[in-house]
Amino acid sequence: MQPTTVIVVADKTSLKRPFIFLNAVNMALCFFMLAVTVSSHRYLLGGTKVRLSLSGLVCLYILGFGCLLLSVLGVCGACKEKRWCLILFAVGMAAASQTMLVKTALTYQPIYEAEVVDRESSLRESALKMPLGENSLVNRTLLEHMQAYYKCCGLVEGYKDWGSSIPASCLCEYPERRCVRLRGNFTVGAQKKQLIYQEPCLPLYMASVKRAFSIAIGFKFGSAMFWVVLLVLSIKLMVQIKRKKEFLALLQTHKYCVPGTS
């Protein structure tokens, strides 16, 4: 009885499905990045620092659209096992991740000074114009929106920053620990013996700004590292596709010899 030889051809592209799944995640990430960029662009159009942030916005637009197209190219290359698609994908992801890391590292300090330090200095300058009711209508409106959102009153010394004219946005709708009973001669929105917010707004607002800044920087570095992971997976997938094609070509030449058979 002649021995029987069974040749099992295993799947040589085991990284295909994880690669496609991570590219789908990257597409969602790119859509989110573009949405945030568009929102930031609209916000900056109403400010005075458009020129300073224009280069950063253009870079984010290019990275968002570029990585989105690269993910489409990478998925096509993985599904059809086209190595040239994966090569272009790897080159693009290498450039995108390096650009994001370098751009974030170089602009960290300028953006921190513009978005955190300068903003805090501007608010402290407004606090020096005591009482706060003497500020411009735009500044007073912004302060009242801040007080209603963060449930605070004033900027540095609480409700005392407003002098005798305290706005209604300082009033506590429900009794809380951060509320204090108002005493003294006050007019307009707040009257005697009413509860108003005790905490000043500047520490709460700046803590929120710093937290948002940290999240934005972490998102940029995280995106860059995620693209590095996709780069490594694409290289490994290219190697697997090459080995699979070489193995199949070897079988088709009928020169594959199995030990123990003639």
Side-chain angles (χ1 to χ4, degrees):
M1 185 175 180
Q2 295 181 352
T4 303
T5 303
V6 179
I7 301 177
V8 178
V9 181
D11 185 9
K12 298 295 182 179
T13 55
S14 59
L15 290 177
K16 182 186 294 185
R17 290 183 179 179
F19 181 76
I20 293 174
F21 172 76
L22 290 179
N23 271 283
V25 174
N26 186 55
M27 291 180 189
L29 179 69
C30 292
F31 277 117
F32 176 75
M33 181 185 297
L34 290 173
V36 173
T37 305
V38 171
S39 178
S40 301
H41 196 175
R42 290 178 179 177
Y43 172 77
L44 289 173
L45 287 177
T48 59
K49 299 180 180 179
V50 179
R51 293 183 180 179
L52 296 177
S53 304
L54 184 60
S55 60
L57 287 174
V58 171
C59 182
L60 289 177
Y61 276 124
I62 294 175
L63 287 175
F65 281 113
C67 291
L68 182 62
L69 295 177
L70 284 174
S71 287
V72 175
L73 183 64
V75 170
C76 292
C79 293
K80 297 183 179 180
E81 297 186 358
K82 299 293 184 181
R83 294 183 68 245
W84 66 269
C85 292
L86 294 175
I87 291 174
L88 293 177
F89 175 86
V91 173
M93 280 299 171
S97 59
Q98 183 177 3
T99 301
M100 180 66 87
L101 287 173
V102 173
K103 186 74 176 178
T104 304
L106 292 179
T107 58
Y108 176 86
Q109 189 63 29
I111 293 178
Y112 182 82
E113 292 179 357
E115 297 297 329
V116 179
V117 178
D118 291 352
R119 188 174 299 188
E120 184 174 7
S121 300
S122 177
L123 289 174
R124 289 190 179 277
E125 289 178 2
S126 299
L128 294 176
K129 299 177 182 179
M130 297 298 182
L132 293 177
E134 296 181 0
N135 280 269
S136 64
L137 178 61
V138 175
N139 289 339
R140 291 200 308 270
T141 303
L142 291 176
L143 287 172
E144 291 191 22
H145 283 300
M146 185 188 302
Q147 290 175 158
Y149 181 80
Y150 292 101
K151 299 186 183 301
C152 54
C153 186
L155 286 175
V156 179
E157 296 184 1
Y159 68 92
K160 296 179 182 179
D161 294 344
W162 287 98
S164 61
S165 179
I166 299 177
S169 57
C170 286
L171 296 177
C172 287
E173 297 181 1
Y174 304 100
E176 298 180 0
R177 294 181 180 177
R178 295 187 300 174
C179 295
V180 62
R181 189 170 297 278
L182 185 63
R183 294 183 176 86
N185 297 322
F186 298 95
T187 58
V188 190
Q191 300 177 0
K192 280 187 176 182
K193 298 182 180 180
Q194 285 186 321
L195 292 176
I196 60 174
Y197 296 118
Q198 181 179 10
E199 293 187 50
C201 293
L202 186 59
L204 298 175
Y205 176 72
M206 292 311 304
S208 177
V209 170
K210 292 177 181 179
R211 183 166 56 251
F213 177 79
S214 301
I215 292 174
I217 295 298
F219 175 78
K220 291 181 179 180
F221 275 112
S223 299
M225 298 309 299
F226 182 68
W227 293 340
V228 171
V229 172
L230 287 176
L231 168 63
V232 174
L233 284 179
S234 65
I235 295 175
K236 290 186 175 181
L237 184 58
M238 280 189 287
V239 174
Q240 287 187 349
I241 291 174
K242 181 180 179 181
R243 289 178 178 176
K244 178 180 178 180
K245 290 183 177 181
E246 290 177 351
F247 184 69
L248 293 177
L250 182 63
L251 291 179
Q252 291 175 358
T253 57
H254 301 289
K255 295 181 179 180
Y256 186 82
C257 298
V258 181
T261 63
S262 56

